[in-house]
Amino acid sequence: MNKHDQSRRNSLIKTLNKAREQAETARMYLIANERDPEDIAATSLALEHIEIALSHLGVKGD
């Protein structure tokens, strides 16, 4: 992988990690405030997809 591809990969990983952080925060907020279960499920699904994408990129979970 050349340096430009590696840079793009690293940027993608950084963006996905930030998205994971935001999705986790949103999910915790929705649960704590007893919001719509469909919203909680949608946020959980988004978080799951972010985790899958990171896994495909070879990033280990926390």
Side-chain angles (χ1 to χ4, degrees):
M1 178 179 309
N2 67 38
K3 68 180 182 178
H4 298 291
D5 290 342
Q6 185 63 43
S7 175
R8 287 183 186 100
R9 181 182 182 278
N10 290 342
S11 293
L12 176 58
I13 290 169
K14 182 178 177 181
T15 300
L16 286 168
N17 278 323
K18 183 65 177 175
R20 175 174 52 187
E21 179 184 312
Q22 291 176 338
E24 287 172 342
T25 299
R27 184 175 171 273
M28 287 188 298
Y29 170 84
L30 292 169
I31 291 170
N33 291 289
E34 299 177 2
R35 300 297 180 160
D36 187 350
E38 288 184 20
D39 290 341
I40 295 169
T43 305
S44 296
L45 183 61
L47 185 55
E48 186 177 330
H49 285 279
I50 293 166
E51 294 290 349
I52 291 168
L54 286 167
S55 175
H56 283 289
L57 290 167
V59 177
K60 303 281 186 213
D62 290 280

